[in-house]
Amino acid sequence: MNGGLLVAGTTSDAGKSVVTAGICRWLARQGVKVAPFKAQNMSLNSFVTREGAEIGRAQAMQAQACRIEPSALMNPVLLKPGGEQSSQVVLLGKPVGELSARGYHGGRQQRLLGTVLDCLAQLRGTYDAVICEGAGSPAEINLRRTDIVNMGIARGARLPVLVVGDIDRGGVFASFFGTVALLSREDQELVAGFMVNKFRGDVSLLEPGLDMLHGLTGRRTYGVLPYRHGLGIDEEDGLRVSLRGTVRESTVAPPHGEDVLRVAVCAIPLMSNFTDVDALAAEPGVVVRFVDRPEELADADLAVVPGTRGTVRALEWLRERGLADALVRRAAERRPILGICGGFQILGQYIEDDVESRLGQVDGLGVLPVRVRFAREKTLTRPAGEALGERVEGYEIHHGVADVTGGEPFLDGCRVGQSWGTHWHGSLESDGFRRAFLREAAAAAGRRFVPAADTSFAALREEQLDRLGDLIEQHADTDALWRLIESGAPQGLPFIPPGAPA
């Protein structure tokens, strides 16, 4: 078997990542050797593979759904926004420069089509099936000429296309029809049908609409997935206020001790890898929220300054909002603060930045004895070590090089009082370390909070991926889906006018 499928969407956040992961887990449970693929991803949530390549976290999670190790082949192009007009381009896991949106779509993107098709071909030569994820909508008519992630990759690799629509937003039938009708005849030949996502209620009430959609387009619906809480995998382009939904139901599980532990995450600009706090949200009795005002830090038991693609810009934002002063007061009062990656750099004495902001030396908050110099080469590693008497694993993605001049050692960073800083993303996913850290934070905050002894973040992730696989297995026509993956789009699909403009 050398099967493949492209999961496209009527819009961004229609459920492409979730459906792709669900199909991957369903196939893996059938004994199929399957891999995920996304030609081009735009995300500030990234991951480091074992060979030291940076890819989108969604593709890393989809690889986990496939029960395989992630690799750079699965996400050959990653765009990391650095502002409104430009992004860092990461090619095959390594940064190759900054480009404006006009520069990228003006020619560079199309020149990468050969690279992404080669990566896809390598995966297809290794695995029985490759489930590809599109980006945004395939009907972005202004971008079709340079498209390498939706119909460009589908046509280049002759992949059948399944279009996912979020019915919870409304207008799903118009979105399905319009998506097909704005594609060229050649692209329409590959669009096999649709999948409805986030349906609430009695499916029989939807069936007449699905029949009419089939009559209008000649294309069938391969499944109607019900709305379920807590099924999102690691976010790409947006930030959901409740990250708790990524690991369990959205309600807060009752604490094991007498108190809950309240965690406030500073919602800094260009926030990256905010998935770091998912592991905190997975703990019963831990309440995670994002904040942008100093008064919201006042009653928090733990303040987290997360990673960011714009460290100096985030520092300025904290000062403008009054959050910088609130963090400095917290540190002086020995109330817990955790800085991760860019947040760690912000807590230091100064930042010398001639790479991201190019503003030279900028004063940090002075909470930790750390001096940061931005290097042009990016650090991409998967470190492991020990902290608080527990084994810890993580991953590093940063240009900043930290010179730690004091405090107690803490992973690659340091600790002063109850202020902690490290470049390690993902460290809180190590269960023993997370529990030890939360015990210290709770004690310092005077909270009678007790971490659960049996919370396994890895097990919660697996449970979540199995739930995604269950959705596909129980609510999609898996026989028809299998034929689509194995044999491609049906022949003779009708053309829906007007098609793409000339």
Side-chain angles (χ1 to χ4, degrees), residues 255-261 301 438 441-443 445-451:
H256 279 232
E258 296 180 48
D259 291 339
V260 298
L261 194 74
D301 303 310
L438 288 175
R447 305 292 284 185
R448 291 168 294 184
F449 168 83
V450 179

Side-chain angles (χ1 to χ4, degrees), residues 297-349:
L297 281 181
D299 66 346
D301 303 310
L302 169 64
V304 177
V305 189
T308 174
R309 172 80 167 86
T311 306
V312 171
R313 178 179 168 186
L315 183 55
E316 292 171 348
W317 181 88
L318 288 168
R319 288 188 166 122
E320 290 167 0
R321 294 278 179 143
L323 286 161
D325 290 340
L327 288 167
V328 171
R329 284 195 299 273
R330 281 188 72 93
E333 295 165 0
R334 298 178 67 86
R335 300 176 65 201
I337 303 172
L338 173 63
I340 303 173
C341 200
F344 167 41
Q345 297 166 9
I346 285 168
L347 295 178
Q349 294 168 318

Side-chain angles (χ1 to χ4, degrees), residues 68-195:
I68 60 176
E69 275 291 320
S71 82
L73 293 175
M74 298 170 187
N75 180 207
V77 181
L78 173 63
L79 305 178
K80 303 193 72 175
E84 296 296 326
Q85 300 293 329
S86 67
S87 293
Q88 183 180 65
V89 181
V90 179
L91 180 62
L92 293 173
K94 304 296 180 183
V96 294
E98 296 272 341
L99 274 181
S100 67
R102 180 176 293 276
Y104 185 67
H105 290 286
R108 178 65 182 268
Q109 182 182 33
Q110 196 169 25
R111 292 197 295 272
L112 294 173
L113 181 59
T115 299
V116 300
L117 285 172
D118 180 61
C119 291
L120 177 56
Q122 289 185 59
L123 288 174
R124 296 185 81 178
T126 304
Y127 294 92
D128 299 329
V130 179
I131 308 303
C132 308
E133 180 188 343
S137 162
E140 304 290 355
I141 54 178
N142 57 315
L143 302 177
R144 175 62 185 92
R145 182 177 61 84
T146 58
D147 169 48
I148 66 170
V149 66
N150 289 306
M151 301 313 298
I153 195 79
R155 201 193 294 188
R158 302 308 299 171
L159 292 170
V161 178
L162 182 69
V163 180
V164 177
D166 180 355
I167 197 170
D168 200 47
R169 295 182 173 194
V172 74
F173 291 118
S175 298
F176 281 145
F177 183 87
T179 295
V180 179
L182 281 175
L183 299 178
S184 69
R185 185 179 299 273
E186 295 80 6
D187 286 347
Q188 286 193 28
E189 289 173 356
L190 296 172
V191 179
F194 314 106
M195 183 170 285

Side-chain angles (χ1 to χ4, degrees), residues 178-491:
T179 295
V180 179
L182 281 175
L183 299 178
S184 69
R185 185 179 299 273
E186 295 80 6
D187 286 347
Q188 286 193 28
E189 289 173 356
L190 296 172
V191 179
F194 314 106
M195 183 170 285
V196 177
N197 189 31
K198 297 185 184 176
F199 179 73
R200 304 172 191 251
D202 185 347
V203 176
S204 66
L205 299 176
L206 188 67
E207 287 171 353
L210 300 179
D211 291 339
M212 286 185 273
L213 181 67
H214 184 271
L216 287 166
T217 67
R219 290 159 173 86
R220 59 168 298 166
T221 297
Y222 284 78
V224 177
L225 308 184
Y227 187 96
R228 292 285 187 269
H229 287 288
L231 286 181
I233 65 172
D234 293 354
E235 291 295 307
E236 292 184 352
D237 304 325
L239 170 62
R240 289 207 175 107
V241 174
S242 176
L243 295 189
R244 195 172 303 104
T246 64
V247 287
R248 59 167 60 239
E249 295 293 336
S250 60
T251 54
V252 180
H256 279 232
E258 296 180 48
D259 291 339
V260 298
L261 194 74
R262 298 161 298 183
V263 179
V265 184
C266 297
I268 55 180
L270 296 173
M271 194 184 332
S272 62
N273 286 67
F274 51 78
T275 48
D276 282 330
V277 299
D278 284 359
L280 296 179
E283 283 285 349
V286 174
V287 181
V288 177
R289 61 181 179 176
F290 287 83
V291 304
D292 59 6
R293 299 194 301 267
E295 55 268 27
E296 293 178 299
L297 281 181
D299 66 346
D301 303 310
L302 169 64
V304 177
V305 189
T308 174
R309 172 80 167 86
T311 306
V312 171
R313 178 179 168 186
L315 183 55
E316 292 171 348
W317 181 88
L318 288 168
R319 288 188 166 122
E320 290 167 0
R321 294 278 179 143
L323 286 161
D325 290 340
L327 288 167
V328 171
R329 284 195 299 273
R330 281 188 72 93
E333 295 165 0
R334 298 178 67 86
R335 300 176 65 201
I337 303 172
L338 173 63
I340 303 173
C341 200
F344 167 41
Q345 297 166 9
I346 285 168
L347 295 178
Q349 294 168 318
Y350 67 77
I351 299 165
E352 190 176 324
D353 180 12
D354 296 315
V355 176
E356 275 185 359
S357 69
R358 297 183 176 87
L359 290 177
Q361 186 169 311
V362 177
D363 288 338
L365 299 188
V367 170
L368 296 175
V370 178
R371 300 167 184 172
V372 176
R373 175 184 56 82
F374 271 58
R376 299 205 174 273
E377 291 295 315
K378 182 184 281 191
T379 297
L380 296 168
T381 62
R382 289 274 292 270
E386 187 174 297
L388 303 179
E390 299 287 347
R391 181 75 175 167
V392 192
E393 294 183 358
Y395 56 99
E396 295 185 49
I397 306 169
H398 55 90
H399 284 280
V401 178
D403 177 20
V404 179
T405 61
E408 301 175 42
F410 175 64
L411 302 177
D412 70 329
C414 66
R415 168 190 183 178
V416 173
Q418 292 301 323
S419 298
W420 318 64
T422 177
H423 275 131
W424 290 23
H425 294 290
S427 63
L428 294 167
E429 295 179 20
S430 298
D431 297 327
F433 166 72
R434 181 181 65 255
R435 286 192 278 268
F437 176 75
L438 288 175
R439 280 193 292 270
E440 287 231 11
R447 305 292 284 185
R448 291 168 294 184
F449 168 83
V450 179
D454 59 351
T455 301
S456 167
F457 188 75
L460 286 170
R461 286 292 199 196
E462 279 297 303
E463 175 188 308
Q464 176 198 35
L465 292 170
D466 275 331
R467 292 174 67 202
L468 293 178
D470 291 343
L471 269 187
I472 299 299
E473 191 169 324
Q474 296 167 11
H475 300 282
D477 185 339
T478 52
D479 289 340
L481 197 56
W482 178 265
R483 289 193 298 272
L484 187 62
I485 293 167
E486 189 175 34
S487 304
Q491 296 297 308

